[in-house]
């Protein structure tokens, strides 16, 4: 058998997609895999297989042309094998907010898995999404009246942990004397540090790192929820994960977001801010100082906003939305959507009502997962929260770790480890679950290593929205 996989085609336009041309050379499954019509508001999950193992396997090729009935717009799906198996999309006689007329995007290839391609919107205002593609402006075709609790929003857990460059053994030796002993993650760190030398460094990094994409790439790829953990250091705020210092300040984080929003004013970024220090070093004054210096770039009211068109104070477009996980002092002006007093610690709860009568359901069960039951995170926690409830903002973390019966690192849970298990990762289970979901409102989904599997999970999550 040759290499086989699927291509998910989602038609979220008002036009029928009609197959007008098909051709292949040495493809095992191609010509008859694609439907003749893909109706508006429907999808096709197409099986593709290359002829692998032949002398001329690099000549495998195929083309499928679809035209959007009623307008002079079409696209061609291409199979190419010259430089490795690859599925491409050529745009003909139309453009999207991401791709120009006549341009080709490369979705890549994923053996025994699925690639994703979607077009939404109407003539002159199309949005496209695809595997391995940026999604800078995916919110542009969402209705202005939609509130954030009516949108499916991909995000990152412990957003800034892609840079662990400060972690060395000398740093860890200093750290062991100051981290608390009551916090489970701190206890885990102390156990790792006791290994000594490079073993200690590698173990701490494995437990602490939750991302590989840097902040700007996360935003470019389509993530719109950021999980920011800060500690007060002298007169500034520093990014941390537990006791691990990350080489980014709050000002650097916000500057990256401002620059992104300046270029992509159709978008909004929900920023969850948490005090990763203790109560003796509150962060509220310094957070507010940053916001006050850039008031037009923030939404800091207490209610869940609508997207709007970006011209009004109550609109979220073009702004950062403060989701406040840190407690404010009695003399501070209250700002942001307050979830500091309702956040469930290592558990999940539905129908939580905050101090401003806003409704939330939050799943953040981050430990303790064990090696022979790695699917429990998705089956017992993530999947039950993939549901719609009116007027409720769902926040559904896919992340987690484990220390019982063997170490479960964030990456192990997110993407699996084929060296010792058939478990493909929580991200893959989420991907599989959403493959046949045309539309849905699943809330905020913060993830570890969301580029897995095959840079297709983020566009798939986005594609479930009602465009």
């Amino acid at each position: 058998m040759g290499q086989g996989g699927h291509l998910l085609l989602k038609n979220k336009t008002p036009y029928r997609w009609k197959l007008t041309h098909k051709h292949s050379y040495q493809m095992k499954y191609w010509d008859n895999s694609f439907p003749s019509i893909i109706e508006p508001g429907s999808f096709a999950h197409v099986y593709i297989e290359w002829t692998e193992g032949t002398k001329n396997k690099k000549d495998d090729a195929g083309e499928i042309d679809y035209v959007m009935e009623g307008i002079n717009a079409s696209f061609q799906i291409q199979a190419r094998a010259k430089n490795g198996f690859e599925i491409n999309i050529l745009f003909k006689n139309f453009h999207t907010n991401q791709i120009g007329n006549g341009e080709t995007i490369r979705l890549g290839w994923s053996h025994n898995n699925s690639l994703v391609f979607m077009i939404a919107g109407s003539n002159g205002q199309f949005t496209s999404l695809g595997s391995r593609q940026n999604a800078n402006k995916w919110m542009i075709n969402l209705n202005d009246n939609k509130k954030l609790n009516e949108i499916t929003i991909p995000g990152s857990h412990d957003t800034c942990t892609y840079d662990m460059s400060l972690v060395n053994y000398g740093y860890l030796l200093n750290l062991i004397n100051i981290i608390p002993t009551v916090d489970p993650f701190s206890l885990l760190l102390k156990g790792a540090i006791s290994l000594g030398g490079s073993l200690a460094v590698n173990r701490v990094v494995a437990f602490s790192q939750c991302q590989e994409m840097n902040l700007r790439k996360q935003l470019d790829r389509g993530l719109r929820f950021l999980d920011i953990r800060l500690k007060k250091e002298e007169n500034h705020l520093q990014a941390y994960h537990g006791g691990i210092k990350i080489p980014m300040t709050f000002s650097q984080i916000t500057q990256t977001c401002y620059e992104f929003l300046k270029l992509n004013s159709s978008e909004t970024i929900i920023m969850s801010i948490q005090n990763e220090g203790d109560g003796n070093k509150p962060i509220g004054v310094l957070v507010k100082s940053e916001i006050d210096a850039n008031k037009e770039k923030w939404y800091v009211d207490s209610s869940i906003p609508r997207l709007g068109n970006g011209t009004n104070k109550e609109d979220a477009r073009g702004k950062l939305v403060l989701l406040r996980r840190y407690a404010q002092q009695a003399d501070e002006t209250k700002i942001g959507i307050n979830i500091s007093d309702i956040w469930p610690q290592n558990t999940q709860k539905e129908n939580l009502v905050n101090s401003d009568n806003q409704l939330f359901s939050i799943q953040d069960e981050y430990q303790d997962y064990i090696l022979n039951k790695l699917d429990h995170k998705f089956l017992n926690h993530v999947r039950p929260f993939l549901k719609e409830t009116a007027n409720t903002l769902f926040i559904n973390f896919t992340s987690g770790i484990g220390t019982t019966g063997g170490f479960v690192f964030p990456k192990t849970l997110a993407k699996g480890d084929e060296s010792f298990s058939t478990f493909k990762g929580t991200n893959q289970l989420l991907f599989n679950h959403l493959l046949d979901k045309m539309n849905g409102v699943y809330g905020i989904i913060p993830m570890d290593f969301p580029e897995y599997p095959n840079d297709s999970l983020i566009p798939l999550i986005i594609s479930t929205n009602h465009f």
Side-chain angles (χ1 to χ4, degrees):
M1 288 186 62
Q3 278 209 32
H6 286 85
L7 173 62
L8 178 68
L9 298 169
K10 275 194 171 184
N11 181 0
K12 291 206 162 191
T13 74
Y15 314 108
R16 298 173 90 208
W17 295 358
K18 182 178 180 181
L19 193 155
T20 58
H21 170 76
K22 58 184 178 181
H23 166 264
S24 66
Y25 178 70
Q26 295 189 164
M27 297 293 293
K28 192 166 185 180
Y29 287 93
W30 182 262
D31 288 21
N32 296 321
S33 295
F34 292 83
S36 58
I37 296 290
I38 302 177
E39 297 287 351
S42 68
F43 67 87
H45 198 208
V46 177
Y47 181 71
I48 297 167
E49 189 174 318
W50 312 78
T51 302
E52 189 179 33
T54 66
K55 292 181 180 179
N56 298 317
K57 74 173 185 176
K58 289 191 175 182
D59 292 338
D60 290 6
E63 295 83 36
I64 294 288
D65 284 83
Y66 279 102
V67 65
M68 298 186 198
E69 290 188 335
I71 61 174
N72 185 30
S74 64
F75 60 92
Q76 183 178 82
I77 304 166
Q78 303 172 340
R80 298 290 185 262
K82 185 176 181 180
N83 297 309
F85 299 140
E86 190 172 58
I87 301 298
N88 304 328
I89 309 289
L90 169 64
F91 289 71
K92 296 181 174 183
N93 303 317
F94 82 110
H95 67 276
T96 73
N97 55 50
Q98 292 290 118
I99 310 299
N101 181 24
E103 291 187 11
T104 299
I105 62 171
R106 290 171 169 79
L107 306 182
W109 176 248
S110 186
H111 181 42
N112 290 334
N113 216 326
S114 296
L115 303 173
V116 175
F117 178 66
M118 181 207 81
I119 303 175
S122 56
N123 196 14
Q125 193 63 43
F126 287 112
T127 296
S128 60
L129 292 169
S131 301
R132 305 183 185 183
Q133 305 303 307
N134 283 344
N136 307 74
K137 295 179 173 65
W138 69 262
M139 290 180 150
I140 196 168
N141 278 337
L142 295 178
N143 190 289
D144 289 346
N145 291 320
K146 279 188 180 292
K147 297 178 73 173
L148 296 189
N149 56 8
E150 299 171 325
I151 307 171
T152 303
I153 299 172
S156 54
H157 160 251
D158 260 306
T159 297
C160 297
T161 56
Y162 53 85
D163 189 342
M164 293 279 110
S165 60
L166 295 180
V167 180
N168 57 57
Y169 192 55
Y171 173 82
L172 295 178
L173 287 177
N174 291 328
L175 180 67
I176 199 169
N177 296 315
I178 60 174
I179 56 178
T181 57
V182 293
D183 175 72
F185 188 72
S186 297
L187 289 172
L188 186 153
L189 286 180
K190 285 196 171 187
I193 294 168
S194 67
L195 294 171
S198 61
L199 287 175
V201 172
N202 292 340
R203 181 68 54 81
V204 169
V205 169
F207 269 118
S208 302
Q209 186 172 10
C210 303
Q211 305 299 326
E212 290 179 344
M213 294 188 291
N214 65 33
L215 176 55
R216 181 53 191 264
K217 188 171 182 179
Q218 291 180 36
L219 295 171
D220 284 338
R221 279 295 200 249
L223 300 185
R224 296 292 177 265
F225 171 89
L226 305 179
D227 177 22
I228 304 300
R229 319 287 181 97
L230 303 170
K231 279 188 181 182
K232 183 180 178 182
E233 289 190 346
E234 298 179 352
N235 62 348
H236 77 279
L237 295 173
Q238 186 73 36
Y240 270 81
H241 180 196
I244 303 299
K245 185 175 182 177
I246 296 167
M248 285 191 77
T249 65
F250 184 46
S251 294
Q252 290 171 326
I253 294 167
T254 54
Q255 188 60 39
T256 298
C257 294
Y258 299 154
E259 291 170 359
F260 174 83
L261 290 171
K262 184 178 180 180
L263 296 173
N264 304 283
S265 59
S266 60
E267 308 305 286
T268 186
I269 301 169
I270 303 168
M271 183 179 286
S272 168
I273 299 179
Q274 176 179 341
N275 187 352
E276 203 75 335
D278 56 46
N280 296 322
K281 291 185 177 181
I283 65 174
V285 171
L286 288 175
V287 171
K288 190 171 186 301
S289 176
E290 171 65 33
I291 292 172
D292 286 346
N294 298 276
K295 286 184 178 180
E296 76 284 359
K297 299 170 184 173
W298 286 86
Y299 175 91
V300 293
D301 288 356
S302 60
S303 59
I304 296 171
R306 67 173 199 141
L307 281 175
N309 58 21
T311 60
N312 300 310
K313 177 178 177 291
E314 63 270 19
D315 294 345
R317 283 198 201 270
K319 298 172 188 172
L320 286 154
V321 175
L322 175 61
L323 192 64
R324 180 168 57 81
R325 281 186 68 179
Y326 64 90
Q328 290 188 290
Q329 303 300 296
D331 59 348
E332 290 181 39
T333 302
K334 301 302 180 187
I335 59 171
I337 302 168
N338 177 30
I339 51 175
S340 64
D341 53 351
I342 62 170
W343 194 271
Q345 182 67 21
N346 194 30
T347 187
Q348 57 192 47
K349 290 186 179 179
E350 296 189 50
N351 302 317
L352 298 163
V353 182
N354 74 355
S355 56
D356 298 300
N357 207 34
Q358 303 292 302
L359 194 59
F360 300 84
S361 289
I362 301 172
Q363 184 279 122
D364 188 20
E365 192 116 9
Y366 58 84
Q367 67 175 25
D368 189 14
Y369 298 99
I370 58 178
L371 288 173
N372 64 345
K373 295 181 179 179
L374 290 174
D375 59 355
H376 280 203
K377 172 65 182 186
F378 179 78
L379 297 178
N380 296 348
H381 306 299
V382 177
R383 188 171 66 180
F385 264 62
L386 293 171
K387 57 187 177 183
E388 302 182 44
T389 303
N391 302 316
T392 301
L393 180 58
F394 274 73
I395 306 175
N396 190 3
F397 283 80
T398 67
S399 49
I401 58 172
T403 58
T404 301
F407 294 117
V408 177
F409 304 119
K411 185 175 284 189
T412 310
L413 194 66
K415 65 181 294 282
D417 189 334
E418 295 182 0
S419 66
F420 64 86
S421 173
T422 58
F423 175 68
K424 300 297 185 182
T426 301
N427 291 7
Q428 183 69 60
L429 294 177
L430 174 61
F431 184 81
N432 295 346
H433 180 83
L434 295 177
L435 270 174
D436 64 349
K437 306 295 187 294
M438 189 66 190
N439 295 301
V441 180
Y442 302 115
I444 296 169
I445 306 177
M447 299 167 282
D448 287 345
F449 307 100
E451 64 271 29
Y452 296 102
N454 56 271
D455 251 336
S456 294
L457 178 55
I458 297 171
L460 181 62
I461 291 172
I462 296 170
S463 76
T464 63
N465 281 289
H466 297 265
F467 287 92

